Amino acid sequence: MTEPTITHATSDDLETVTDRWVDLARDQRAYGSSIRAEANRETMRETLAAHQFTNSLLVARLEGDLVGFASFSLEQGALSLATTRGLLSNLYVDPSYRGRGIGTALLEAVEAELRDRGAEVVRLEVVAPNEDARRFYRERGYEPVRVTMDHHLEGSSENDTHSKEDA
């Protein structure tokens, strides 16, 4: 099996990575995410460009094709923390390339980059119903540390993320 090549993204990769982010956001709607994929395309293109500029955007290639990406950063906040945390904000592998070690290669590259930048721990979020993603991270030593909970308020408009087409 061909090993993926993991490199820092270039500005030439931004449109393809943005397309893959849209795919990721669209896929997450099936798990209850309310992020609108197409409506956020330009905002995410700018965000991904900022990650690319700071060498915090990695891409995976197989035989020259961009098949996955990961974006990450060091946590920046107003509060002083006892631990330096790296944040994995996105990790995506094209579904037709999954199960070939690409996600693992991206994750290991992100962990190495964050370690080199002083991170002691990596934090990420997974949509709770996405059992495949949760299993992927658990198998690599990630453990839940927080639980986020939602409650739909009576009388508010229902956020039916499963049936609304993303615009």
Side-chain angles (χ1 to χ4, degrees):
M1 183 183 328
T2 305
E3 293 291 317
T5 302
I6 309 297
T7 62
H8 288 100
T10 67
S11 56
D12 291 339
D13 295 323
L14 283 177
E15 290 308 317
T16 302
V17 173
T18 301
D19 289 343
R20 296 299 73 80
W21 181 88
V22 169
D23 294 341
L24 167 65
R26 190 174 292 123
D27 291 352
Q28 293 304 300
R29 299 280 291 196
Y31 299 107
S33 172
S34 56
I35 294 174
R36 292 186 172 145
E38 280 299 331
N40 288 297
R41 177 184 286 276
E42 281 309 306
T43 299
M44 281 309 300
R45 187 190 183 292
E46 292 171 12
T47 299
L48 292 165
H51 280 288
Q52 185 269 322
F53 182 77
T54 60
N55 287 324
S56 300
L57 180 62
L58 299 177
V59 293
R61 288 186 173 80
L62 271 182
E63 300 171 5
D65 293 329
L66 195 153
V67 298
F69 78 95
S71 59
F72 59 94
S73 61
L74 282 178
E75 185 172 39
Q76 306 284 325
L79 301 176
S80 176
L81 302 174
T83 301
T84 302
R85 289 192 293 227
L87 302 174
L88 174 61
S89 46
N90 294 288
L91 190 147
Y92 180 77
V93 175
D94 184 292
S96 62
Y97 290 93
R98 291 180 185 162
R100 298 165 97 178
I102 298 164
T104 298
L106 277 167
L107 184 60
E108 289 173 352
V110 166
E111 290 172 347
E113 290 272 341
L114 288 169
R115 186 180 308 106
D116 290 348
R117 296 175 192 199
E120 301 165 80
V121 67
V122 177
R123 177 158 288 175
L124 57 87
E125 290 184 5
V126 177
V127 181
N130 188 342
E131 184 53 41
D132 289 340
R134 291 174 46 210
R135 181 176 32 259
F136 172 81
Y137 292 114
R138 272 194 317 268
E139 289 172 353
R140 285 148 188 86
Y142 285 75
E143 299 175 1
V145 293
R146 285 188 172 197
V147 174
T148 301
M149 299 165 59
D150 285 347
H151 173 72
H152 293 277
L153 301 175
E154 287 184 39
S156 66
S157 62
E158 183 67 25
N159 183 10
D160 182 8
T161 59
H162 297 287
S163 63
K164 289 182 181 172
E165 184 62 32
D166 186 21

